[in-house]
C-alpha cells in the first residue's frame, strides 16, 4: 500500500469517518474502574484526532508530492547508482545525434509499475557529489518503430520548495497534458526529467552552487544532464534541452537558463521570483547576485536563449517581476510573458498554464519535426485560472 496510493487515502478517509462513530457507540459502554474508563476515552479521542491529522498531512503530501513513497519518507532510498560514464563517451558532433551511440547508464533506471513510461534512479553526481532522485518519463513515441532512429528533446522539470521530482507527474499531471498537446499537434514528443532540487533539508539552496555547501546548480546543469544523455536517445547539444519549473522551480528555470546557455536553449518559469529567496544566499553578496535572474539579465552578456514567464496579477509581485525581467532583456535574449488576471500561487494556476507553456517550450527545442507539428503553437486561446484571458507579450 503506497504512501500516495488512492487505496491508502481511502482507508484514512474511512477511518476519519468511522472512529468518531465508534467513539460515540463505546463512550457509555466502557467497563472497569473510573480511571480506566477515562483512559480508554482519552485513547479514543486521541485516535480520532490522530487520523484527522494524518488525513490532512496525507492530502498536503499528495498535493505537493513532498514524499513519494514510504522509503522516501523514512529516508531509505537505498544506495545510489554507479554512473558508468559521466558523459556520452568520445562523441563527435555527428555521433551525438546517432542512435548507435553508446548508452552506458541506461541500466541505472528502473521502471515504476504505477506510472507507465516512467523510470527512476537514485544517483550521486560525478561533479557535484549531490545524491538525489531522478525520475524520467519517456513518451510513447520513444518505443515506436517510426521513432526508432529519433533523438528526442528533453525538458527538465523543477519542483517548488518543498517538493519532490514526482510533483510534476502526480500533482500537475504533466504527462497527460503533454500527450494531449502532442495529439492535437500543438506540441512535440519530448523526454521529461524530474530531478531532486531540495537536496539539503531543511535548507533551500535555490538550485545554486552554495559556497561551502551543496552544488545544486552543477547537479542539475551537468550531472543530471550528462546522466540523461548517456542513458537515453536524446538530442545532446543545447538545442535539445529546456527547463520548466513552478514557484521555486520557476526561479531555478530562469536562472539556470541564463547561467548555462551552453547547456539549455529555452525555459519556462511559472510564478517564479526574479531573485533567490532561500535561506543560504544572503542579499548583498556576490553569490546572491550571481543567482538572481534579474541581476543576470541586467549585468551579464546576453545569451542566445528564450525564456517564457507566466503568472497572475493577484499573485503578489509575480507580474511586476516578470515585466521587469522582460524590460531588462537584451538581444539576442528573448523574454516573453503570459500574465492572467486572476489566480493565486497554487497548482490550479500552474495546471491552467501547462498546455500553452508546453506548446511554447517543445517548439523551441531541437530541429523541426518530420511529423508535421507546427513550428509555432496557436496561443490565441491562452487562459489563466478562473477562465481569465491571459496576456501574451513579448519583451
Amino acid at each position: 500500500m503506497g504512501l500516495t496510493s488512492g487505496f491508502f487515502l481511502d482507508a484514512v478517509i474511512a477511518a476519519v469517518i468511522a472512529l468518531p462513530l465508534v467513539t460515540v457507540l463505546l463512550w457509555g459502554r466502557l467497563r472497569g474502574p473510573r480511571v480506566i474508563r477515562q483512559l480508554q476515552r482519552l485513547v479514543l479521542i486521541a485516535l480520532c484526532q490522530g487520523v484527522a491529522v494524518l488525513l490532512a498531512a496525507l492530502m498536503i503530501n499528495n498535493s505537493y508530492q513532498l514524499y513519494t513513497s514510504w522509503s522516501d519518507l523514512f529516508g531509505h532510498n537505498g544506495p545510489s547508482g554507479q554512473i558508468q560514464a559521466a558523459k556520452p563517451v568520445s562523441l563527435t558532433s555527428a555521433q551525438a545525434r546517432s542512435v548507435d551511440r553508446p548508452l552506458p547508464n541506461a541500466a541505472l533506471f528502473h521502471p515504476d509499475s504505477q506510472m507507465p513510461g516512467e523510470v527512476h534512479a537514485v544517483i550521486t553526481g560525478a561533479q557535484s557529489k549531490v545524491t538525489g532522485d531522478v525520475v524520467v518519463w519517456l513518451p510513447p513515441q520513444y518505443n515506436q518503430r517510426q521513432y526508432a532512429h529519433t533523438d528526442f528533446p528533453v525538458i527538465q522539470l523543477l519542483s517548488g520548495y518543498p517538493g519532490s521530482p514526482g510533483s510534476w507527474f502526480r500533482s500537475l499531471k504533466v504527462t497527460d497534458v503533454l500527450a494531449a498537446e502532442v495529439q492535437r499537434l500543438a506540441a512535440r514528443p519530448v523526454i521529461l526529467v524530474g530531478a531532486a532540487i531540495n537536496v539539503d533539508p531543511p535548507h533551500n539552496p535555490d538550485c545554486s552552487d552554495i559556497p561551502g555547501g551543496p552544488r545544486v546548480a552543477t547537479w542539475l546543469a551537468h550531472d543530471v544532464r550528462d546522466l540523461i544523455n548517456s542513458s537515453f536517445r536524446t538530442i545532446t547539444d543545447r538545442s535539445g534541452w529546456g527547463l520548466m519549473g513552478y514557484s521555486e522551480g520557476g526561479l531555478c528555470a530562469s536562472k539556470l537558463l541564463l547561467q548555462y546557455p551552453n547547456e539549455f536553449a529555452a525555459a519556462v518559469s511559472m510564478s517564479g521570483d526574479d531573485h533567490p529567496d532561500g535561506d543560504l544566499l544572503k542579499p548583498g553578496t556576490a553569490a546572491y547576485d550571481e543567482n538572481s535572474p534579474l541581476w543576470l539579465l541586467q549585468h551579464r552578456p546576453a545569451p542566445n536563449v528564450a525564456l517564457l514567464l507566466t503568472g497572475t496579477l493577484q499573485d503578489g509581485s509575480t507580474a511586476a517581476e516578470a515585466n521587469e525581467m522582460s524590460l531588462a532583456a537584451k538581444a539576442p535574449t528573448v523574454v516573453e510573458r503570459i500574465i492572467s488576471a486572476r489566480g493565486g500561487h497554487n497548482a490550479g494556476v500552474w495546471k491552467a498554464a501547462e498546455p500553452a507553456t508546453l506548446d511554447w517550450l517543445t517548439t523551441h527545442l531541437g530541429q523541426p519535426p518530420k511529423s508535421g507539428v507546427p513550428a509555432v503553437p496557436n496561443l490565441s486561446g491562452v487562459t489563466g485560472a478562473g477562465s481569465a484571458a491571459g496576456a501574451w507579450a513579448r519583451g
Side-chain angles (χ1 to χ4, degrees), residues 203-224:
H203 301 294
N204 175 9
D206 289 309
C207 298
S208 304
D209 283 356
I210 303 299
R215 302 177 64 200
V216 186
T218 298
W219 156 254
L220 296 168
H222 292 298
D223 290 333
V224 172

Side-chain angles (χ1 to χ4, degrees), residues 143-167:
N143 295 312
Q144 294 175 1
R145 180 178 301 176
Q146 60 268 40
Y147 287 88
H149 299 287
T150 298
D151 290 343
F152 286 78
V154 180
I155 296 178
Q156 199 165 333
L157 301 171
L158 306 168
S159 69
Y161 176 84
S164 75
S167 302

Side-chain angles (χ1 to χ4, degrees), residues 358-376:
L358 284 169
D359 297 349
W360 182 92
L361 186 52
T362 63
T363 52
H364 275 75
L365 300 178
Q367 300 300 316
K370 298 179 180 180
S371 59
V373 177
V376 179

Side-chain angles (χ1 to χ4, degrees), residues 113-322:
S113 59
Q114 297 182 355
M115 293 294 294
E118 185 178 308
V119 295
H120 64 92
V122 179
I123 299 298
T124 298
Q127 297 185 49
S128 67
K129 308 307 178 186
V130 167
T131 298
D133 194 23
V134 180
V135 180
V136 177
W137 180 82
L138 301 173
Q141 293 81 0
Y142 188 88
N143 295 312
Q144 294 175 1
R145 180 178 301 176
Q146 60 268 40
Y147 287 88
H149 299 287
T150 298
D151 290 343
F152 286 78
V154 180
I155 296 178
Q156 199 165 333
L157 301 171
L158 306 168
S159 69
Y161 176 84
S164 75
S167 302
W168 275 98
F169 302 99
R170 272 72 167 187
S171 300
L172 296 183
K173 308 292 185 183
V174 64
T175 59
D176 294 341
V177 177
L178 177 59
E181 293 306 291
V182 171
Q183 181 67 30
R184 72 181 189 92
L185 302 182
R188 298 172 54 201
V190 298
I191 296 172
L192 301 177
V193 176
I197 67 171
N198 301 308
V199 299
D200 187 29
H203 301 294
N204 175 9
D206 289 309
C207 298
S208 304
D209 283 356
I210 303 299
R215 302 177 64 200
V216 186
T218 298
W219 156 254
L220 296 168
H222 292 298
D223 290 333
V224 172
R225 192 176 182 280
D226 292 342
L227 171 68
I228 300 304
N229 280 338
S230 58
S231 302
F232 304 98
R233 297 196 316 272
T234 62
I235 298 175
T236 60
D237 61 52
R238 67 177 296 275
S239 70
W241 276 77
L243 299 150
M244 187 170 178
Y246 65 86
S247 190
E248 172 72 14
L251 162 70
C252 295
S254 296
K255 81 175 198 65
L256 289 172
L257 177 70
L258 298 172
Q259 289 173 322
Y260 298 94
N262 292 329
E263 279 73 41
F264 304 102
V268 173
S269 170
M270 304 168 74
S271 306
D273 289 331
D274 65 1
H275 60 278
D277 59 359
D279 60 324
L280 297 179
L281 295 173
K282 305 303 181 183
T285 64
Y288 181 93
D289 290 341
E290 292 287 352
N291 287 282
S292 167
L294 179 59
W295 189 92
L296 291 169
L297 286 169
Q298 293 172 331
H299 297 91
R300 287 290 177 252
N304 184 18
V305 296
L307 174 62
L308 175 61
L309 307 172
T310 77
T312 74
L313 295 176
Q314 295 180 330
D315 182 14
S317 60
T318 298
E321 291 183 6

Side-chain angles (χ1 to χ4, degrees), residues 65-110:
Q65 291 293 302
L66 306 180
Y67 302 97
T68 57
S69 65
W70 292 108
S71 60
D72 189 17
L73 175 63
F74 293 109
H76 302 305
N77 286 318
S80 61
Q82 180 64 44
I83 298 177
Q84 300 301 315
K87 297 183 179 180
V89 182
S90 302
L91 295 183
T92 65
S93 178
Q95 288 175 322
R97 292 180 180 274
S98 169
V99 72
D100 296 324
R101 64 184 172 89
L103 300 173
N105 292 316
L108 295 175
F109 288 86
H110 305 284

Side-chain angles (χ1 to χ4, degrees), residues 37-58:
R37 294 198 307 272
Q38 290 176 338
L39 288 175
Q40 291 173 334
R41 288 166 179 164
L42 287 174
V43 169
L44 289 172
I45 293 172
L47 287 173
C48 292
Q49 293 178 331
V51 294
V53 172
L54 176 61
L55 177 60
L58 188 60

